[in-house]
Amino acid sequence: MRFSMGHLIADAQRMWRAERPLLLPIAGLFYFLPTLALLLLLPQPAEITDPGTDAASQALIAYTLDNAGSILSANLANLFGAAVVLLLFLGRPQLTASDALRRALTLLPIFLIAVISVWAGVFVGGLMFVLPGLYLVGRSFLVTAVIASEGAQSPVQAISRSFALTKGRGWLFFSLVAAVFLTGQVGVMIAGSIDRAMIASGMASPVTVFLFNASAALASTAASLATLLLEVAAYRRLAGSSNGI
């Protein structure tokens, strides 16, 4: 099967058009609403005047620890939603939405351990020379797809399988992930900047605050869903999978 970034994008677009009525509620429940809740309910972090300093790092760590419960809950909801989407497309045998929800619950610990392991490796690689961490993002792109498609194997096996499937394409997948992520972040930053500017000028109202935060949550959700569909497309082309919706 032919393989290029253009093929992956075309496959993802086809999946989106065919399954949009099913994907929208899942993305809304497990991505949009948790993200919107964080944006609306978490206190704004203190303005950092000297980025890159020890004081700035300590302030960021303190803010994260103070709000760790909410942040972790939202990320866990995101991961569960990702598992549901991947199982709908890649689960064996083909799963209904209710079956995917139940199976995602049983597989969630493996998804969680695998994702934590990957990002720990990315963090360590980034601390060492930066490039190894970035490369690892690309090589581990298919870890969650492997778990969804090939069963409840160990996280180590899933990571090894992803490395086998992405051999020779690490930088391609990193570029794909980075492009989608940065596109989503542009939307988040624009909405957030306008919201903060309106608040600072006294022009904001509860309605405008909600609308701009909803726009930011929507941009983040769209980027996450696009990444999932691209992951499904890549896995199907590299592993020859045709199961799922």
Side-chain angles (χ1 to χ4, degrees), residues 134-148:
L134 301 182
Y135 184 66
L136 184 58
V137 171
R139 294 300 302 274
S140 59
F141 180 57
L142 299 179
V143 167
T144 48
V146 167
I147 296 172

Side-chain angles (χ1 to χ4, degrees), residues 4-21 23 89 176 180 222 225-234 236-237:
S4 71
M5 193 176 294
H7 291 128
L8 296 185
I9 294 171
D11 289 350
Q13 289 173 333
R14 280 193 292 270
M15 286 185 279
W16 165 248
R17 288 192 295 267
E19 304 298 339
R20 182 167 48 194
L23 290 170
F89 282 100
L176 193 63
V180 175
L225 185 56
T227 301
L228 286 174
L229 294 179
L230 290 166
E231 183 179 354
V232 171
R236 284 180 168 175
R237 284 186 173 268

Side-chain angles (χ1 to χ4, degrees), residues 100-118:
L101 287 165
R102 286 193 292 269
R103 192 167 177 187
L105 193 60
T106 63
L107 290 177
L108 188 60
I110 296 176
F111 274 95
L112 182 60
I113 295 171
V115 168
I116 290 174
S117 300
V118 166

Side-chain angles (χ1 to χ4, degrees), residues 27-230:
L29 182 60
F30 297 111
Y31 277 95
F32 177 77
L33 289 179
T35 303
L36 180 60
L38 286 184
L39 292 172
L40 290 175
L41 301 178
L42 285 192
Q44 290 293 320
E47 185 175 351
I48 297 176
T49 55
D50 297 313
T53 63
D54 289 341
S57 299
Q58 291 172 3
L60 179 60
I61 292 172
Y63 177 83
T64 302
L65 292 176
D66 289 342
N67 299 284
S70 298
I71 295 171
L72 289 175
S73 297
N75 279 276
L76 194 60
N78 294 166
L79 182 60
F80 182 80
V84 172
V85 171
L86 292 170
L87 284 165
L88 283 169
F89 282 100
L90 299 173
R92 300 178 182 178
Q94 183 174 342
L95 302 176
T96 64
S98 59
D99 290 337
L101 287 165
R102 286 193 292 269
R103 192 167 177 187
L105 193 60
T106 63
L107 290 177
L108 188 60
I110 296 176
F111 274 95
L112 182 60
I113 295 171
V115 168
I116 290 174
S117 300
V118 166
W119 283 107
V122 170
F123 179 74
V124 172
L127 285 180
M128 293 172 59
F129 298 106
V130 180
L131 288 180
L134 301 182
Y135 184 66
L136 184 58
V137 171
R139 294 300 302 274
S140 59
F141 180 57
L142 299 179
V143 167
T144 48
V146 167
I147 296 172
S149 180
E150 301 180 16
Q153 53 191 306
S154 72
V156 173
Q157 289 173 316
I159 293 170
S160 177
R161 174 70 168 146
S162 177
F163 268 57
L165 290 171
T166 60
K167 185 177 180 180
R169 297 186 173 95
W171 288 117
L172 182 148
F173 285 126
F174 167 74
S175 300
L176 193 63
V177 171
V180 175
F181 174 78
L182 291 175
T183 300
Q185 286 303 298
V186 168
V188 171
M189 292 173 61
I190 291 174
S193 298
I194 296 174
D195 181 47
R196 287 190 295 272
M198 292 187 70
I199 292 174
S201 65
M203 297 172 60
S205 69
V207 173
T208 61
V209 169
F210 177 85
L211 289 176
F212 282 113
N213 281 285
S215 298
L218 184 61
S220 176
T221 299
S224 297
L225 185 56
T227 301
L228 286 174
L229 294 179
L230 290 166

